[in-house]
Protein backbone atom coordinates (compact mmCIF):
# COMPACT_ATOMS: atom_id res chain seq x y z
CA UNK A 1 0.00 0.00 0.00
CA UNK A 2 1.41 3.38 -1.01
CA UNK A 3 0.89 6.33 1.32
CA UNK A 4 0.57 9.95 0.22
CA UNK A 5 1.07 12.73 2.75
CA UNK A 6 -1.98 14.90 3.44
CA UNK A 7 -0.12 18.13 2.60
CA UNK A 8 0.75 16.78 -0.84
CA UNK A 9 -2.97 16.45 -1.63
CA UNK A 10 -3.88 19.77 0.04
CA UNK A 11 -1.26 21.70 -1.95
CA UNK A 12 -2.07 19.93 -5.23
CA UNK A 13 -5.80 20.66 -4.93
CA UNK A 14 -5.17 24.30 -3.92
CA UNK A 15 -2.99 24.74 -7.02
CA UNK A 16 -5.66 23.16 -9.24
CA UNK A 17 -8.28 25.62 -7.92
CA UNK A 18 -6.06 28.64 -8.57
CA UNK A 19 -4.61 27.58 -11.93
CA UNK A 20 -7.91 26.40 -13.42
CA UNK A 21 -9.53 29.72 -12.56
CA UNK A 22 -6.65 31.79 -13.92
CA UNK A 23 -5.46 30.08 -17.11
CA UNK A 24 -7.77 29.45 -20.04
CA UNK A 25 -7.26 25.84 -21.17
CA UNK A 26 -5.17 25.63 -24.39
CA UNK A 27 -7.90 23.71 -26.24
CA UNK A 28 -10.46 26.41 -25.38
CA UNK A 29 -8.12 29.15 -26.60
CA UNK A 30 -7.69 27.30 -29.90
CA UNK A 31 -11.47 26.98 -30.19
CA UNK A 32 -11.94 30.74 -29.56
CA UNK A 33 -9.37 31.61 -32.23
CA UNK A 34 -10.93 29.24 -34.76
CA UNK A 35 -14.43 30.57 -34.03
CA UNK A 36 -13.30 34.19 -34.25
CA UNK A 37 -11.89 33.52 -37.71
CA UNK A 38 -15.09 31.77 -38.84
CA UNK A 39 -17.60 34.38 -37.63
CA UNK A 40 -18.64 37.05 -40.13
CA UNK A 41 -20.93 38.85 -37.68
CA UNK A 42 -18.82 41.75 -36.28
CA UNK A 43 -20.50 41.54 -32.87
CA UNK A 44 -19.64 37.83 -32.55
CA UNK A 45 -16.05 38.55 -33.63
CA UNK A 46 -15.83 41.29 -31.00
CA UNK A 47 -17.02 38.93 -28.24
CA UNK A 48 -14.21 36.49 -29.07
CA UNK A 49 -11.70 39.35 -29.18
CA UNK A 50 -12.80 40.36 -25.68
CA UNK A 51 -12.65 36.78 -24.39
CA UNK A 52 -9.11 36.34 -25.72
CA UNK A 53 -8.05 39.68 -24.24
CA UNK A 54 -9.66 38.61 -20.96
CA UNK A 55 -7.63 35.38 -20.97
CA UNK A 56 -4.38 37.30 -21.59
CA UNK A 57 -5.22 39.76 -18.81
CA UNK A 58 -6.10 37.02 -16.33
CA UNK A 59 -2.78 35.31 -17.00
CA UNK A 60 -0.83 38.56 -16.63
CA UNK A 61 -2.69 40.08 -13.68
CA UNK A 62 -3.42 36.92 -11.72
CA UNK A 63 -7.11 37.83 -11.59
CA UNK A 64 -9.52 34.95 -12.18
CA UNK A 65 -10.92 34.65 -15.73
CA UNK A 66 -14.44 35.09 -14.36
CA UNK A 67 -15.85 36.45 -11.11
CA UNK A 68 -17.86 33.25 -10.66
CA UNK A 69 -15.06 30.96 -9.61
CA UNK A 70 -17.67 28.30 -9.08
CA UNK A 71 -18.40 25.52 -6.73
CA UNK A 72 -15.38 23.20 -6.64
CA UNK A 73 -16.33 19.95 -8.37
CA UNK A 74 -13.77 17.16 -8.15
CA UNK A 75 -13.63 13.83 -9.94
CA UNK A 76 -11.17 11.60 -8.11
CA UNK A 77 -9.85 8.25 -9.31
CA UNK A 78 -8.45 6.50 -6.26
CA UNK A 79 -6.11 3.56 -6.77
CA UNK A 80 -6.97 0.49 -4.66
CA UNK A 81 -3.40 0.46 -3.34
CA UNK A 82 -3.07 4.06 -2.21
CA UNK A 83 -4.02 5.80 1.03
CA UNK A 84 -3.80 9.41 2.19
CA UNK A 85 -2.58 10.17 5.72
CA UNK A 86 -5.41 11.81 7.61
CA UNK A 87 -8.08 11.01 5.03
CA UNK A 88 -8.58 11.88 1.39
CA UNK A 89 -11.90 13.74 1.65
CA UNK A 90 -10.62 16.05 4.39
CA UNK A 91 -7.44 16.75 2.44
CA UNK A 92 -9.41 17.69 -0.67
CA UNK A 93 -11.70 20.03 1.26
CA UNK A 94 -8.69 21.63 2.94
CA UNK A 95 -7.10 22.10 -0.49
CA UNK A 96 -10.25 23.84 -1.76
CA UNK A 97 -10.35 26.04 1.36
CA UNK A 98 -6.69 27.00 0.84
CA UNK A 99 -6.93 27.51 -2.92
CA UNK A 100 -9.99 29.76 -2.74
CA UNK A 101 -8.37 31.84 0.04
CA UNK A 102 -4.83 32.09 -1.36
CA UNK A 103 -6.02 32.67 -4.95
CA UNK A 104 -8.49 35.45 -3.99
CA UNK A 105 -11.26 33.36 -5.53
CA UNK A 106 -14.94 34.01 -4.83
CA UNK A 107 -16.57 31.82 -2.20
CA UNK A 108 -19.98 30.89 -3.58
CA UNK A 109 -21.06 28.02 -1.32
CA UNK A 110 -24.05 28.96 0.84
CA UNK A 111 -26.87 27.39 2.86
CA UNK A 112 -29.68 26.42 0.45
CA UNK A 113 -32.43 27.88 2.66
CA UNK A 114 -30.96 30.77 4.68
CA UNK A 115 -28.55 31.61 1.81
CA UNK A 116 -25.84 32.37 4.40
CA UNK A 117 -22.43 32.15 2.74
CA UNK A 118 -20.22 29.44 4.25
CA UNK A 119 -17.18 31.63 3.67
CA UNK A 120 -14.68 29.06 2.40
CA UNK A 121 -16.35 27.41 -0.62
CA UNK A 122 -16.56 24.02 1.10
CA UNK A 123 -17.75 21.35 1.14
CA UNK A 124 -16.46 20.56 -2.33
CA UNK A 125 -18.60 18.34 -4.56
CA UNK A 126 -16.48 15.18 -4.80
CA UNK A 127 -17.11 12.13 -6.99
CA UNK A 128 -14.89 9.17 -6.07
CA UNK A 129 -14.09 6.27 -8.37
CA UNK A 130 -12.06 3.30 -7.16
CA UNK A 131 -9.62 2.04 -9.80
CA UNK A 132 -6.73 -0.46 -9.90
CA UNK A 133 -3.23 0.82 -9.11
CA UNK A 134 -1.48 3.02 -6.52
CA UNK A 135 -2.03 6.52 -7.90
CA UNK A 136 -4.51 9.27 -7.25
CA UNK A 137 -5.92 11.21 -10.20
CA UNK A 138 -7.72 14.42 -9.23
CA UNK A 139 -9.68 16.43 -11.80
CA UNK A 140 -10.98 19.84 -10.73
CA UNK A 141 -13.77 21.77 -12.39
CA UNK A 142 -14.92 25.26 -11.41
CA UNK A 143 -18.66 25.12 -12.06
CA UNK A 144 -20.38 28.47 -12.21
CA UNK A 145 -24.03 28.97 -11.26
CA UNK A 146 -25.16 30.69 -14.46
CA UNK A 147 -24.47 27.69 -16.66
CA UNK A 148 -25.33 25.06 -14.04
CA UNK A 149 -28.80 26.59 -13.62
CA UNK A 150 -29.51 25.90 -17.30
CA UNK A 151 -28.73 22.16 -16.93
CA UNK A 152 -31.43 19.49 -16.65
CA UNK A 153 -32.04 15.79 -16.01
CA UNK A 154 -35.03 14.03 -17.53
CA UNK A 155 -36.36 10.48 -17.73
CA UNK A 156 -37.28 9.61 -21.29
CA UNK A 157 -39.20 6.47 -22.33
CA UNK A 158 -37.02 3.97 -24.22
CA UNK A 159 -39.30 4.44 -27.27
CA UNK A 160 -38.20 8.07 -27.53
CA UNK A 161 -34.66 6.96 -28.38
CA UNK A 162 -32.11 9.19 -30.10
CA UNK A 163 -34.80 11.46 -31.59
CA UNK A 164 -36.12 12.19 -28.09
CA UNK A 165 -32.60 12.84 -26.85
CA UNK A 166 -31.91 15.21 -29.72
CA UNK A 167 -35.14 17.18 -29.20
CA UNK A 168 -34.53 17.56 -25.47
CA UNK A 169 -30.99 18.86 -25.96
CA UNK A 170 -32.04 21.37 -28.62
CA UNK A 171 -34.98 22.57 -26.52
CA UNK A 172 -32.73 23.04 -23.52
CA UNK A 173 -30.17 25.09 -25.42
CA UNK A 174 -32.83 27.25 -27.08
CA UNK A 175 -34.50 27.87 -23.74
CA UNK A 176 -31.18 28.70 -22.06
CA UNK A 177 -30.38 31.16 -24.88
CA UNK A 178 -28.00 33.91 -23.73
CA UNK A 179 -28.16 33.01 -20.01
CA UNK A 180 -25.30 30.49 -19.58
CA UNK A 181 -22.56 32.58 -21.32
CA UNK A 182 -22.51 31.06 -24.81
CA UNK A 183 -20.59 29.75 -26.65
CA UNK A 184 -21.31 26.81 -24.39
CA UNK A 185 -20.08 23.27 -24.04
CA UNK A 186 -22.66 20.53 -23.68
CA UNK A 187 -22.08 17.41 -21.62
CA UNK A 188 -24.65 14.69 -22.32
CA UNK A 189 -25.15 11.75 -19.97
CA UNK A 190 -27.24 8.92 -21.40
CA UNK A 191 -28.24 5.83 -19.43
CA UNK A 192 -27.41 4.50 -16.00
CA UNK A 193 -29.88 5.82 -13.41
CA UNK A 194 -31.24 9.28 -12.61
CA UNK A 195 -28.16 10.40 -10.64
CA UNK A 196 -25.72 8.42 -12.75
CA UNK A 197 -26.75 10.23 -15.93
CA UNK A 198 -26.15 13.59 -14.23
CA UNK A 199 -22.66 12.65 -13.12
CA UNK A 200 -21.84 11.25 -16.58
CA UNK A 201 -22.97 14.49 -18.22
CA UNK A 202 -20.63 16.52 -16.06
CA UNK A 203 -17.69 14.14 -16.31
CA UNK A 204 -17.98 14.26 -20.11
CA UNK A 205 -17.04 17.96 -19.88
CA UNK A 206 -13.54 17.01 -18.72
CA UNK A 207 -12.67 15.75 -22.21
CA UNK A 208 -10.51 17.82 -24.57
CA UNK A 209 -12.67 20.01 -26.83
CA UNK A 210 -11.12 18.74 -30.03
CA UNK A 211 -10.89 15.03 -29.21
CA UNK A 212 -13.03 12.39 -30.91
CA UNK A 213 -15.21 9.91 -29.05
CA UNK A 214 -13.65 6.41 -29.36
CA UNK A 215 -16.95 4.92 -30.62
CA UNK A 216 -17.50 6.12 -34.22
CA UNK A 217 -21.31 6.14 -33.90
CA UNK A 218 -21.20 8.27 -30.76
CA UNK A 219 -18.60 10.50 -32.37
CA UNK A 220 -20.97 11.04 -35.31
CA UNK A 221 -23.80 11.94 -32.91
CA UNK A 222 -21.57 14.47 -31.12
CA UNK A 223 -20.76 16.06 -34.46
CA UNK A 224 -24.38 16.13 -35.59
CA UNK A 225 -25.59 17.61 -32.29
CA UNK A 226 -22.89 20.30 -32.43
CA UNK A 227 -24.06 21.29 -35.91
CA UNK A 228 -27.76 21.33 -34.91
CA UNK A 229 -27.05 23.45 -31.83
CA UNK A 230 -24.95 25.92 -33.80
CA UNK A 231 -27.72 26.17 -36.40
CA UNK A 232 -29.90 27.72 -33.67
CA UNK A 233 -27.95 30.95 -34.31
CA UNK A 234 -27.87 32.06 -30.66
CA UNK A 235 -24.20 32.97 -31.04
CA UNK A 236 -21.59 34.21 -28.56
CA UNK A 237 -23.33 35.93 -25.60
CA UNK A 238 -26.63 35.35 -27.40
CA UNK A 239 -25.89 38.22 -29.79
CA UNK A 240 -26.14 36.11 -32.95
CA UNK A 241 -23.53 34.21 -34.93
CA UNK A 242 -22.30 30.82 -35.99
CA UNK A 243 -20.84 29.73 -32.66
CA UNK A 244 -23.43 28.84 -30.05
CA UNK A 245 -21.52 25.77 -28.87
CA UNK A 246 -17.85 24.74 -28.96
CA UNK A 247 -18.34 21.01 -28.38
CA UNK A 248 -20.87 18.33 -27.47
CA UNK A 249 -19.48 15.44 -25.39
CA UNK A 250 -21.53 12.28 -24.79
CA UNK A 251 -20.99 9.71 -22.04
CA UNK A 252 -23.13 6.57 -21.83
CA UNK A 253 -23.81 3.74 -19.39
CA UNK A 254 -25.95 0.59 -19.55
CA UNK A 255 -29.48 1.18 -18.35
CA UNK A 256 -32.59 -0.54 -16.94
CA UNK A 257 -34.82 -2.06 -19.66
CA UNK A 258 -37.61 0.35 -18.62
CA UNK A 259 -35.53 3.54 -18.59
CA UNK A 260 -33.74 6.14 -20.65
CA UNK A 261 -32.33 8.76 -18.28
CA UNK A 262 -30.84 11.79 -19.99
CA UNK A 263 -28.83 14.62 -18.45
CA UNK A 264 -27.69 17.77 -20.20
CA UNK A 265 -24.98 19.67 -18.37
CA UNK A 266 -24.29 23.08 -19.84
CA UNK A 267 -20.86 24.60 -19.28
CA UNK A 268 -19.85 28.20 -19.93
CA UNK A 269 -17.31 29.16 -22.58
CA UNK A 270 -14.24 29.25 -20.37
CA UNK A 271 -14.66 25.58 -19.40
CA UNK A 272 -12.26 25.84 -16.49
CA UNK A 273 -10.79 22.52 -15.43
CA UNK A 274 -7.44 20.98 -14.65
CA UNK A 275 -6.14 17.64 -13.44
CA UNK A 276 -3.18 16.17 -11.59
CA UNK A 277 -1.96 12.64 -10.92
CA UNK A 278 -0.18 11.96 -7.63
CA UNK B 1 -25.77 50.82 -34.02
CA UNK B 2 -24.66 54.01 -32.32
CA UNK B 3 -22.03 54.57 -29.66
CA UNK B 4 -22.66 56.67 -26.54
CA UNK B 5 -20.50 57.86 -23.65
CA UNK B 6 -22.68 58.50 -20.58
CA UNK B 7 -21.97 59.68 -17.06
CA UNK B 8 -24.09 58.75 -14.03
CA UNK B 9 -26.60 59.63 -12.68
CA UNK B 10 -28.58 58.96 -15.87
CA UNK B 11 -31.57 61.03 -16.94
CA UNK B 12 -34.57 60.39 -19.21
CA UNK B 13 -32.73 62.45 -21.83
CA UNK B 14 -29.76 60.04 -21.63
CA UNK B 15 -31.99 56.95 -21.88
CA UNK B 16 -34.61 57.87 -24.48
CA UNK B 17 -32.29 57.89 -27.53
CA UNK B 18 -30.76 54.48 -26.71
CA UNK B 19 -31.77 51.60 -29.01
CA UNK B 20 -31.11 47.89 -28.56
CA UNK B 21 -27.73 47.06 -30.07
CA UNK B 22 -26.17 50.42 -29.23
CA UNK B 23 -22.86 50.35 -27.40
CA UNK B 24 -22.52 52.53 -24.30
CA UNK B 25 -19.41 53.43 -22.30
CA UNK B 26 -20.43 54.30 -18.74
CA UNK B 27 -18.48 56.52 -16.38
CA UNK B 28 -19.21 57.59 -12.82
CA UNK B 29 -20.82 55.63 -10.01
CA UNK B 30 -22.59 52.29 -10.32
CA UNK B 31 -23.84 50.05 -7.50
CA UNK B 32 -23.42 46.28 -7.30
CA UNK B 33 -26.33 44.14 -6.16
CA UNK B 34 -27.26 40.55 -6.84
CA UNK B 35 -29.63 37.89 -5.46
CA UNK B 36 -29.44 38.30 -1.66
CA UNK B 37 -28.91 42.09 -1.82
CA UNK B 38 -32.01 42.52 -4.00
CA UNK B 39 -34.10 40.59 -1.51
CA UNK B 40 -32.88 42.87 1.29
CA UNK B 41 -33.51 46.04 -0.73
CA UNK B 42 -37.11 45.04 -1.36
CA UNK B 43 -37.60 43.95 2.27
CA UNK B 44 -36.29 47.39 3.30
CA UNK B 45 -38.84 49.09 1.04
CA UNK B 46 -41.61 46.86 2.46
CA UNK B 47 -40.73 48.07 5.94
CA UNK B 48 -40.95 51.67 4.71
CA UNK B 49 -37.28 52.32 5.44
CA UNK B 50 -34.64 54.16 3.38
CA UNK B 51 -32.45 52.29 0.90
CA UNK B 52 -28.68 52.35 1.47
CA UNK B 53 -28.16 54.32 -1.76
CA UNK B 54 -30.12 56.79 -3.89
CA UNK B 55 -31.98 55.05 -6.74
CA UNK B 56 -32.64 58.24 -8.68
CA UNK B 57 -30.78 57.99 -11.98
CA UNK B 58 -28.83 55.03 -10.61
CA UNK B 59 -27.27 52.08 -12.41
CA UNK B 60 -27.21 48.68 -10.72
CA UNK B 61 -24.64 46.10 -11.81
CA UNK B 62 -25.56 42.45 -11.18
CA UNK B 63 -22.15 41.20 -10.07
CA UNK B 64 -20.50 39.30 -7.25
CA UNK B 65 -16.81 40.14 -7.64
CA UNK B 66 -13.87 38.06 -6.48
CA UNK B 67 -11.95 39.47 -3.49
CA UNK B 68 -9.42 42.18 -4.42
CA UNK B 69 -5.82 41.01 -4.46
CA UNK B 70 -3.37 43.40 -2.74
CA UNK B 71 -3.04 46.70 -4.59
CA UNK B 72 -6.29 46.45 -6.54
CA UNK B 73 -9.73 47.98 -5.76
CA UNK B 74 -11.63 44.87 -6.84
CA UNK B 75 -11.09 41.37 -8.26
CA UNK B 76 -12.72 39.91 -11.36
CA UNK B 77 -16.09 41.53 -11.97
CA UNK B 78 -18.18 40.33 -14.92
CA UNK B 79 -21.99 40.29 -15.09
CA UNK B 80 -24.11 37.53 -13.55
CA UNK B 81 -27.31 36.10 -15.08
CA UNK B 82 -30.09 38.68 -14.73
CA UNK B 83 -33.38 36.72 -14.65
CA UNK B 84 -32.85 35.96 -10.97
CA UNK B 85 -33.33 39.67 -10.26
CA UNK B 86 -36.55 39.90 -12.34
CA UNK B 87 -38.79 39.52 -9.29
CA UNK B 88 -37.34 42.69 -7.75
CA UNK B 89 -36.29 44.83 -10.71
CA UNK B 90 -39.63 46.47 -11.74
CA UNK B 91 -40.05 47.94 -8.27
CA UNK B 92 -36.55 49.44 -8.32
CA UNK B 93 -37.14 50.87 -11.80
CA UNK B 94 -40.41 52.43 -10.56
CA UNK B 95 -38.42 54.26 -7.88
CA UNK B 96 -35.93 55.86 -10.25
CA UNK B 97 -33.43 53.19 -11.27
CA UNK B 98 -32.40 54.01 -14.84
CA UNK B 99 -30.35 50.98 -15.85
CA UNK B 100 -29.28 47.52 -14.80
CA UNK B 101 -26.28 45.60 -16.15
CA UNK B 102 -26.22 41.81 -16.41
CA UNK B 103 -26.40 39.00 -18.94
CA UNK B 104 -29.26 36.93 -20.35
CA UNK B 105 -32.97 37.47 -20.87
CA UNK B 106 -35.43 39.50 -18.76
CA UNK B 107 -39.12 38.70 -18.21
CA UNK B 108 -42.09 40.64 -19.57
CA UNK B 109 -42.62 42.58 -16.34
CA UNK B 110 -39.09 43.98 -16.51
CA UNK B 111 -39.47 44.86 -20.20
CA UNK B 112 -42.72 46.68 -19.41
CA UNK B 113 -41.04 48.58 -16.56
CA UNK B 114 -38.34 49.79 -18.97
CA UNK B 115 -41.07 51.30 -21.15
CA UNK B 116 -43.07 52.73 -18.25
CA UNK B 117 -40.14 54.43 -16.55
CA UNK B 118 -37.82 55.26 -19.51
CA UNK B 119 -35.08 52.87 -18.46
CA UNK B 120 -32.79 50.29 -20.07
CA UNK B 121 -31.22 46.89 -19.54
CA UNK B 122 -27.56 46.63 -20.51
CA UNK B 123 -25.61 43.44 -21.24
CA UNK B 124 -21.97 43.04 -20.31
CA UNK B 125 -19.69 40.32 -21.68
CA UNK B 126 -20.25 37.31 -19.43
CA UNK B 127 -17.07 35.71 -18.21
CA UNK B 128 -14.85 38.68 -19.11
CA UNK B 129 -14.32 39.37 -15.40
CA UNK B 130 -10.62 40.21 -15.55
CA UNK B 131 -11.13 42.56 -18.50
CA UNK B 132 -14.09 44.45 -16.98
CA UNK B 133 -12.22 44.75 -13.67
CA UNK B 134 -9.76 47.08 -15.42
CA UNK B 135 -12.56 49.62 -15.94
CA UNK B 136 -13.32 49.81 -12.21
CA UNK B 137 -11.17 52.43 -10.53
CA UNK B 138 -12.52 52.33 -6.97
CA UNK B 139 -14.83 50.15 -4.89
CA UNK B 140 -16.28 50.51 -1.40
CA UNK B 141 -18.89 48.48 0.44
CA UNK B 142 -21.97 50.57 1.26
CA UNK B 143 -24.32 47.91 2.71
CA UNK B 144 -24.70 44.27 3.77
CA UNK B 145 -20.98 43.57 4.26
CA UNK B 146 -21.86 40.21 5.86
CA UNK B 147 -23.13 38.99 2.47
CA UNK B 148 -19.51 38.83 1.26
CA UNK B 149 -19.52 38.72 -2.56
CA UNK B 150 -23.19 39.75 -2.50
CA UNK B 151 -22.65 42.95 -0.47
CA UNK B 152 -23.66 46.24 -2.11
CA UNK B 153 -20.60 48.05 -3.42
CA UNK B 154 -20.25 51.54 -4.82
CA UNK B 155 -18.01 51.32 -7.88
CA UNK B 156 -16.33 54.16 -9.68
CA UNK B 157 -16.06 53.20 -13.34
CA UNK B 158 -14.44 54.76 -16.39
CA UNK B 159 -15.67 53.92 -19.88
CA UNK B 160 -17.26 50.67 -18.71
CA UNK B 161 -18.41 48.93 -21.93
CA UNK B 162 -22.00 47.64 -22.17
CA UNK B 163 -24.50 46.91 -24.93
CA UNK B 164 -28.16 47.92 -24.87
CA UNK B 165 -30.13 44.65 -24.78
CA UNK B 166 -33.62 45.99 -23.93
CA UNK B 167 -34.33 49.65 -24.66
CA UNK B 168 -37.15 51.88 -23.40
CA UNK B 169 -39.14 51.43 -26.64
CA UNK B 170 -39.61 47.64 -26.51
CA UNK B 171 -36.56 46.73 -28.61
CA UNK B 172 -34.61 43.60 -27.64
CA UNK B 173 -31.22 42.66 -29.06
CA UNK B 174 -31.59 38.93 -28.27
CA UNK B 175 -34.62 38.82 -30.58
CA UNK B 176 -33.15 40.82 -33.46
CA UNK B 177 -29.57 39.50 -33.29
CA UNK B 178 -30.22 35.92 -34.43
CA UNK B 179 -28.79 35.44 -37.86
Amino acid sequence: MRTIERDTVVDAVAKLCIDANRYLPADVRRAFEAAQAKEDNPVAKEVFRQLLENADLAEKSGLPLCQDTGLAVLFVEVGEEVAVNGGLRDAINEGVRKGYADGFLRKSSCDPMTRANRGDNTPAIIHFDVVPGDTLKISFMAKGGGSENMSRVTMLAPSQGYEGIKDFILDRVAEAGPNPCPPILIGVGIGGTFENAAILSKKALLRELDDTHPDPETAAKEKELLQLVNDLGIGPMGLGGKTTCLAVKIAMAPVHIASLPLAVNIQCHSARHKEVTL
Amino acid sequence: MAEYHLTTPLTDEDIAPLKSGDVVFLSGTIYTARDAAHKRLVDTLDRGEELPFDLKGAVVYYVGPTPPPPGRPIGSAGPTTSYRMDAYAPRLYSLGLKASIGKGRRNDEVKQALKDYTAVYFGGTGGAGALLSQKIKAAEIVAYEELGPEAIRKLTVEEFPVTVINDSHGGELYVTAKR
Side-chain angles (χ1 to χ4, degrees):
Chain A
M1 188 64 114
R2 179 178 161 235
T3 304
I4 300 179
E5 290 307 316
R6 173 185 160 90
D7 281 355
T8 307
V9 175
V10 171
D11 292 345
V13 169
K15 191 171 178 342
L16 288 179
C17 297
I18 295 170
D19 288 355
N21 271 297
R22 184 178 296 175
Y23 304 110
L24 189 71
D27 54 339
V28 179
R29 180 180 283 271
R30 286 198 298 275
F32 282 0
E33 286 165 350
Q36 189 188 24
K38 207 168 68 179
E39 289 288 356
D40 37 39
N41 171 347
V43 179
K45 265 195 193 305
E46 170 61 15
V47 171
F48 284 115
R49 190 199 64 74
Q50 287 183 20
L51 295 182
L52 287 162
E53 190 187 347
N54 185 63
D56 291 341
L57 259 171
E59 208 170 310
K60 238 185 298 171
S61 66
L63 288 175
L65 288 155
C66 177
Q67 75 291 337
D68 187 351
T69 50
L71 277 193
V73 179
L74 293 114
F75 290 91
V76 186
E77 292 181 10
V78 192
E80 282 165 335
E81 299 157 54
V82 63
V84 173
N85 266 341
L88 177 55
R89 186 184 294 273
D90 275 4
I92 290 172
N93 275 314
E94 185 57 31
V96 167
R97 207 170 279 129
K98 183 172 159 46
Y100 275 72
D102 294 356
F104 298 94
L105 306 179
R106 194 180 87 189
K107 290 74 171 174
S108 300
S109 176
C110 75
D111 182 283
M113 298 312 291
T114 67
R115 312 304 296 182
N117 197 301
R118 295 178 56 86
D120 64 2
N121 222 41
T122 69
I125 311 294
I126 312 174
H127 304 292
F128 291 105
D129 238 340
V130 178
V131 298
D134 66 353
T135 59
L136 195 57
K137 183 176 167 190
I138 305 176
S139 302
F140 166 89
M141 183 189 289
K143 195 66 178 73
S147 62
E148 188 76 348
N149 287 348
M150 298 295 112
S151 302
R152 292 291 184 274
V153 180
T154 188
M155 307 300 283
L156 300 179
S159 63
Q160 288 178 270
Y162 178 53
E163 285 307 309
I165 291 170
K166 208 155 67 175
D167 289 348
F168 186 79
I169 295 169
L170 290 172
D171 285 352
R172 275 314 306 154
V173 177
E175 198 186 327
N179 294 1
C181 280
I184 55 173
L185 271 72
I186 303 174
V188 183
I190 305 171
T193 49
F194 181 85
E195 80 285 5
N196 191 208
I199 294 172
L200 286 173
S201 72
K202 185 159 285 177
K203 199 172 180 184
L205 294 170
L206 293 174
R207 281 170 49 198
E208 287 276 310
L209 285 192
D210 35 16
D211 73 354
T212 306
H213 196 284
D215 170 47
E217 279 182 29
T218 308
K221 287 187 173 70
E222 288 181 347
K223 212 173 148 190
E224 184 196 7
L225 286 165
L226 177 62
Q227 186 61 52
L228 290 170
V229 168
N230 280 330
D231 286 346
L232 294 172
I234 294 166
M237 289 301 135
L239 303 178
K242 295 177 178 171
T243 325
T244 299
C245 179
L246 298 172
V248 177
K249 301 294 179 188
I250 297 175
M252 287 194 278
V255 65
H256 191 286
I257 47 175
S259 299
L260 182 53
L262 168 65
V264 179
N265 197 201
I266 296 185
Q267 176 64 304
C268 64
H269 54 73
S270 51
R272 296 153 300 169
H273 66 92
K274 203 166 168 56
E275 61 186 42
V276 69
T277 301
L278 300 173
Chain B
M1 279 187 282
E3 191 180 298
Y4 294 87
H5 297 259
L6 299 178
T7 302
T8 62
L10 301 180
T11 62
D12 286 2
E13 291 68 39
D14 290 325
I15 299 294
L18 301 179
K19 298 275 164 48
S20 65
D22 289 347
V23 174
V24 175
F25 294 89
L26 281 173
S27 296
T29 297
I30 63 178
Y31 293 93
T32 74
R34 45 170 295 154
D35 308 56
H38 270 78
K39 184 169 188 332
R40 290 212 193 179
L41 289 174
V42 167
D43 288 347
T44 303
L45 289 172
D46 285 345
R47 288 195 304 269
E49 294 167 10
E50 283 234 344
L51 294 183
F53 65 96
D54 187 4
L55 274 176
K56 198 170 161 27
V59 179
V60 165
Y61 184 18
Y62 304 148
V63 57
T66 60
R72 291 196 56 89
I74 198 165
S76 280
T80 197
T81 322
S82 305
Y83 72 88
R84 299 192 310 268
M85 270 51 80
D86 283 357
Y88 313 107
R91 188 152 178 200
L92 301 185
Y93 277 117
S94 78
L95 295 171
L97 180 71
K98 280 289 153 201
S100 56
I101 308 171
K103 67 177 169 86
R105 290 192 200 105
R106 308 311 300 266
N107 70 12
D108 290 343
E109 286 74 24
V110 175
K111 292 176 202 172
Q112 186 60 45
L114 300 179
K115 288 197 257 184
D116 291 346
Y117 306 109
T118 314
V120 286
Y121 166 52
F122 291 127
T125 300
L131 182 63
L132 291 169
S133 172
Q134 314 300 314
K135 311 292 181 190
I136 300 168
K137 304 303 172 184
E140 64 171 299
I141 292 180
V142 295
Y144 319 146
E145 186 163 11
E146 65 281 10
L147 293 180
E150 296 199 76
I152 294 187
R153 288 169 172 80
K154 178 182 171 184
L155 307 182
T156 307
V157 295
E158 268 178 37
E159 298 282 303
F160 190 93
V162 292
T163 304
V164 181
I165 303 291
N166 292 96
D167 60 34
S168 60
H169 313 282
E172 175 169 350
L173 185 58
Y174 293 139
V175 174
T176 51
K178 283 195 188 178
R179 73 186 164 88

